[in-house]
Amino acid sequence: MADDKDLSFTEREALFYHSTIRPGKIEVIASKPMATQRDLSLAYSPGVAAPVQAIADDPATAAIYTSRSNLVAVISNGTAILGMGNLGALASKPVMEGKAVLFKRFADVDSIDIELDTEDPDKFIEAVALMEPSFGGINLEDIAAPECFIIEQALRERMNIPVMHDDQHGTAIIAAAGLLNACHLTGRDLKDVKMVVNGAGASAIACTELIKALGVPHDNVIMCDRSGPIYRGREGKIDQWKSAHAVDTDARSLEEALTGADIFLGLSAAGALKASDVEHMADQPIIFAMANPVPEIMPDEAKAVRPDAIIATGRSDFPNQVNNVLGFPFIFRGALDVRATTINEEMKIAAARAIAELARETVPEEVAAAYGKNQQFGREYIIPAPFDPRLMERVSSAVAKAAMDSGVAQSPIEDFAAYAHSLKARLNPTTSVLTQVYEDAKKNPKRVVFAEAEEDVVLRAAIQFRDFGYGTPVLVGRTKKVKEKLQALSVDDPDSFEIQNSADCAHIPAMVEYLYKRLQRKGFTERDIRRTVNQERNVFAALLVALGHGDAMISGLTRPFGQTAREVGLVLDHKPGAIPFGIHLMIGKNYTVFLADTTINERPDAQQLAHIAKETAAVAQRLGHQPRVAFLSYSTFGNPSGKWLDNIRDAVHILDEDDSVTFEYEGEMAPDAALNPAVMERYPFSRLSAPANVLVMPGLQSANLSAKLLRELAGNAVIGPMLIGMEKPVQIAPMTAIAPDVLTLAVLAAAGVVS
């Protein structure tokens, strides 16, 4: 394990994450209405008799009438948990719950975790095999070798559904994809490369087998275990899985094996690869150092001796991360969608090639904008980013087609274009982009001023902001009070936090001078300014940002939004040519709706409405969406008529005359005409090709009421308000916010995604 300083969170935060709200990470919810007696009668007795009889008559209809066709079991006995070893079945449950969450998050696959309390392979096999009627697929996880080989093989032979040990094949598929691209960049042909594999466990063997299946000759691969190269005739304990990769070689050490080698594939231990070993590899060496959390060699060490190397690791803080989440959700997605009877070699190869080909493609502008950086195929981008929203479509489709071509699909797909469209619709791109925003915040940490650090909610968010590695929180409050609260929240090192107290801050003279120059002709005396700086925490916090002592700020829990905005406005201006306004994000499973302006402008005129529409559309694009803007009203295209419609119609005309506008927009229209496809059909002249995802409200009263009403009804599915248009990143949380809300807004402010 890495030292605590290498981790982006503390043990306390990890335990808090798993215990807060409700224990664990998963829950079961009904997918059908359960509100009335009739609903219950349909769901259970007597209505359930109809699908029971249908399945008894034709077992294939279980895919229609039950969740089985989208349900995967994640199963372990806890004999090889992460890098922690054999800690038992119960201890593996947090990992298995996490895997279930990833299935749902990335591929909309429902998943149940099952922990079996046995180390006997035969008992394990029997228990899993008996569960076939319940599940559409089996994901084996964290099972020690060599038992994992025995278990997987036996279950694949006995069960007529996909079975995959992800520790083996997930890593293999992603590593193979990266290797394909590394060889492409260095002009190598797989049939000519010489590869050294360090490690002979389940993952290493699976990687080696898949890479050989892609075309690397058996005799060109030297596998090493703790005793060195595995060669024919080697004495000592070598099981059947290792001996299958024995070759004729004179090499008797890893160092000797690596001389002249093109590829190093490491699935072993930290520090196993020395810089001196890398020096003796072939030109443009390919190094996959995948030990976690510390690789066999750190990328900077390898680059120091071989600047021409292409390097991949298992870590997200280095380029070219070999991450299983690129594979297993989409492999099972494709397998389930064609009701495959197994996951075979052809499907794994198809997944690897699809991932490799995706990395070579030009990253679409909206995806690059959403990720906040230019990601293009090259030596530091041979594997797609884990949160690339295109993975779902490309990998799942490739796997489904390979299942069909290899004869293991029971329900072939007839229209792949329609299938690809359905895959896109299953997930909400906002969730992918927000996840990437958090990752990018870690790579470019900022100083965020938390203006109300004496509040427990704010302080929890600030602690997480630091512990998760997003940046440095600057805490505003009374020093003694803040430290006492940090201690009460079990922070071991409260003195390590930066606390800015207006009572003794060294920046006060500069703050007074700065603010007096801004406000001396607006009715403020220097004495007024000094008192305001000392007493108003939002003014003080905003001045820290204005003078460069912080990159962004967040406030709002102790004062109404309007008051906080006015106090911040004493210090910070809006962007030139912009107006400040607020956006709420309403996030569902496969949609996001952007609602604006919900916070600032009471009765926006036509120019302001047009500006709000353009800026909100830009935010939507940065979060991975193609904007479709609806200017909302009580009237739909003049019905009913009224006196408050002209500014909305004029805003539409302003966009008509703006050649820079590339998004869809329409108005004036009622919400049902903007969101309900059945109602939209009544207006064939509407310029919206699909339901709107950007709703521009006609005034603050309706906007704020709608946002707060939806927040109360939708709960965690609402983010915001997000303040747009200020010269510096500022976010004002609602007074009802909880720590995760504050943390999200702080990260968004730091990342500048919605500034």
Side-chain angles (χ1 to χ4, degrees):
M1 296 291 290
D3 295 336
D4 285 346
K5 65 183 180 181
D6 295 324
L7 301 177
S8 58
F9 54 85
T10 65
E11 180 178 326
R12 182 192 69 255
E13 288 297 328
L15 294 175
F16 178 79
Y17 173 86
H18 283 81
S19 64
T20 191
I21 303 176
R22 60 190 301 156
K25 297 187 287 287
I26 62 175
E27 65 177 318
V28 176
I29 60 172
S31 61
K32 301 294 190 296
M34 294 287 173
T36 67
Q37 182 61 44
R38 186 172 186 275
D39 292 338
L40 297 178
S41 296
L42 285 168
Y44 195 52
S45 180
V48 76
V52 166
Q53 189 60 55
I55 294 169
D57 295 338
D58 180 5
T61 60
I64 302 172
Y65 300 123
T66 76
S67 63
R68 183 175 185 265
S69 61
N70 194 53
L71 187 61
V72 168
V74 178
I75 306 180
S76 179
N77 62 0
T79 52
I81 303 175
L82 303 175
M84 303 169 72
N86 184 353
L87 299 180
L90 185 59
S92 74
K93 188 170 178 62
V95 182
M96 301 311 114
E97 285 188 358
K99 197 64 175 280
V101 170
L102 294 179
F103 265 115
K104 188 65 177 178
R105 161 66 180 78
F106 284 96
D108 195 27
V109 172
D110 295 319
S111 183
I112 297 292
D113 67 291
I114 297 174
E115 294 73 37
L116 298 178
D117 191 13
T118 179
E119 295 185 20
D120 184 329
D122 293 331
K123 290 183 179 179
F124 190 101
I125 292 164
E126 189 65 22
V128 176
L130 291 172
M131 291 189 283
E132 182 168 344
S134 297
F135 300 102
I138 303 292
N139 184 105
L140 302 173
E141 193 81 10
D142 288 358
I143 304 170
E147 288 80 11
C148 63
F149 302 120
I150 299 169
I151 290 169
E152 185 190 45
Q153 184 60 36
L155 290 174
R156 290 184 63 185
E157 292 172 358
R158 287 186 58 173
M159 303 182 80
N160 202 40
I161 58 176
V163 176
M164 188 175 85
H165 184 211
D166 186 52
D167 296 314
Q168 297 180 56
H169 308 296
T171 302
I173 289 164
I174 312 310
L179 185 61
L180 286 169
N181 282 339
C183 288
H184 175 82
L185 286 168
T186 57
R188 289 179 166 98
D189 192 313
L190 289 179
K191 71 178 187 300
D192 299 322
V193 299
K194 295 181 180 180
M195 183 170 76
V196 175
V197 180
N198 196 50
S203 296
I205 289 174
C207 287
T208 303
E209 289 176 347
L210 185 60
I211 289 167
K212 287 179 178 178
L214 284 167
V216 176
H218 170 83
D219 290 335
N220 286 17
V221 180
I222 298 176
M223 179 177 287
C224 301
D225 62 10
R226 290 185 178 89
S227 300
I230 299 172
Y231 55 88
R232 291 192 179 101
R234 195 183 92 174
E235 296 181 358
K237 186 177 179 180
I238 300 181
D239 58 36
Q240 66 190 77
W241 295 279
K242 289 183 182 182
S243 63
H245 298 283
V247 295
D248 292 322
T249 177
D250 295 330
R252 295 297 182 265
S253 67
L254 175 62
E255 181 183 5
E256 292 177 7
L258 280 168
T259 301
D262 298 289
I263 301 165
F264 170 83
L265 196 71
L267 289 138
S268 51
L273 181 63
K274 308 302 181 187
S276 56
D277 299 333
V278 175
E279 283 187 279
H280 297 110
M281 292 180 69
D283 290 342
Q284 301 185 82
I286 298 169
I287 299 170
F288 278 43
M290 295 181 286
N292 256 329
V294 182
E296 284 81 0
I297 188 170
M298 298 299 283
D300 56 339
E301 295 177 40
K303 288 280 190 182
V305 295
R306 294 301 299 271
D308 60 342
I310 293 179
I311 305 170
T313 71
R315 291 171 52 144
S316 63
D317 52 347
F318 295 120
N320 302 326
Q321 182 189 16
V322 179
N323 189 334
N324 286 20
V325 81
L326 286 159
F328 72 83
F330 316 115
I331 293 165
F332 273 95
R333 175 79 275 151
L336 291 171
D337 288 341
V338 295
R339 291 177 50 219
T341 57
T342 188
I343 293 175
N344 57 26
E345 204 77 354
E346 292 87 346
M347 295 160 73
K348 289 183 281 186
I349 290 173
R353 292 195 182 279
I355 292 167
E357 289 166 5
L358 179 58
R360 297 184 197 182
E361 294 184 14
T362 300
V363 178
E365 183 178 346
E366 64 272 16
V367 174
Y371 279 54
K373 57 186 176 183
N374 184 28
Q375 294 179 308
Q376 299 298 340
F377 182 55
R379 290 173 174 266
E380 295 196 343
Y381 189 75
I382 60 173
I383 301 171
F387 305 106
D388 191 323
R390 300 171 297 169
L391 283 162
M392 173 81 143
E393 175 191 353
R394 302 299 179 82
V395 181
S396 302
S397 295
V399 170
K401 188 174 188 307
M404 292 164 55
D405 293 343
S406 60
V408 299
Q410 298 180 97
S411 180
I413 293 168
E414 296 181 1
D415 186 342
F416 264 91
Y419 177 58
H421 181 76
S422 72
L423 291 171
K424 290 180 182 178
R426 290 193 83 108
L427 293 178
N428 184 350
T430 298
T431 56
S432 293
V433 175
L434 284 178
T435 305
Q436 185 61 39
V437 167
Y438 277 81
E439 292 298 315
D440 288 344
K442 292 181 181 181
K443 297 173 184 177
N444 187 26
K446 297 291 181 63
R447 292 168 55 84
V448 173
V449 179
F450 289 78
E452 301 159 311
E454 294 183 20
E455 301 297 314
D456 284 358
V457 168
V458 175
L459 208 51
R460 285 187 185 277
I463 292 167
Q464 292 176 5
F465 187 82
R466 189 184 79 164
D467 286 353
F468 291 167
Y470 302 133
T472 300
V474 179
L475 308 180
V476 171
R478 292 168 292 176
T479 306
K480 182 180 178 181
K481 186 71 172 177
V482 173
K483 286 186 178 181
E484 288 175 352
K485 285 187 168 287
L486 286 169
Q487 290 174 330
L489 292 172
S490 301
V491 173
D492 297 328
D493 54 349
D495 290 335
S496 67
F497 281 82
E498 179 180 344
I499 301 173
Q500 292 288 352
N501 184 353
S502 61
D504 57 15
C505 178
H507 308 306
I508 291 293
M511 289 179 172
V512 171
E513 180 182 359
Y514 177 90
L515 194 57
Y516 184 51
K517 286 182 179 179
R518 279 179 59 85
L519 302 180
Q520 60 189 354
R521 295 181 181 273
K522 297 181 180 180
F524 287 82
T525 67
E526 186 172 357
R527 182 179 178 181
D528 295 332
I529 295 297
R530 188 174 298 278
R531 184 174 59 251
T532 300
V533 172
N534 283 321
Q535 295 180 0
E536 297 296 340
R537 66 188 68 183
N538 287 322
V539 173
F540 178 73
L543 283 164
L544 287 171
V545 176
L547 296 178
H549 305 299
D551 299 303
M553 72 168 281
I554 182 161
S555 186
L557 270 77
T558 61
R559 290 170 171 80
F561 188 100
Q563 181 180 346
T564 301
R566 287 191 297 273
E567 291 170 355
V568 172
L570 294 174
V571 180
L572 299 173
D573 292 324
H574 52 72
K575 291 179 180 177
I579 60 169
F581 67 95
I583 299 174
H584 275 79
L585 267 65
M586 313 297 170
I587 300 177
K589 186 179 79 170
N590 51 16
Y591 71 88
T592 291
V593 174
F594 301 79
L595 191 66
D597 165 29
T598 56
T599 58
I600 301 290
N601 302 285
E602 185 171 0
R603 179 65 68 176
D605 61 26
Q607 288 286 351
Q608 290 173 324
L609 285 172
H611 176 81
I612 290 168
K614 290 180 65 174
E615 292 300 309
T616 308
V619 172
Q621 286 179 315
R622 290 197 291 273
L623 291 177
H625 295 266
Q626 290 292 338
R628 295 181 298 277
V629 176
F631 290 89
L632 293 190
S633 170
Y634 63 86
S635 171
T636 300
F637 304 122
N639 183 24
S641 59
K643 64 179 181 178
W644 299 110
L645 303 179
D646 287 345
N647 63 330
I648 302 174
R649 293 169 179 171
D650 290 345
V652 174
H653 294 153
I654 289 170
L655 295 186
D656 288 341
E657 300 298 320
D658 189 340
D659 293 336
S660 69
V661 174
T662 58
F663 54 84
E664 296 179 14
Y665 58 91
E666 187 58 281
E668 77 282 1
M669 58 204 314
D672 56 351
L675 299 171
N676 189 325
V679 178
M680 292 177 70
E681 290 179 358
R682 302 176 192 170
Y683 306 98
F685 53 84
S686 173
R687 290 179 283 193
L688 297 182
S689 62
N693 54 13
V694 174
L695 306 180
V696 178
M697 305 294 283
L700 183 58
Q701 185 171 7
S702 59
N704 195 262
L705 285 171
S706 298
K708 289 182 177 178
L709 179 63
L710 288 168
R711 174 180 285 281
E712 292 305 311
L713 295 176
N716 292 336
V718 178
I719 293 178
M722 303 184 304
L723 184 57
I724 310 296
M726 298 297 291
E727 64 173 330
K728 298 283 187 179
V730 175
Q731 292 301 325
I732 302 175
M735 296 177 71
T736 55
I738 59 176
D741 301 329
V742 178
L743 178 62
T744 296
L745 289 173
V747 173
L748 289 171
V753 174
V754 293
S755 61

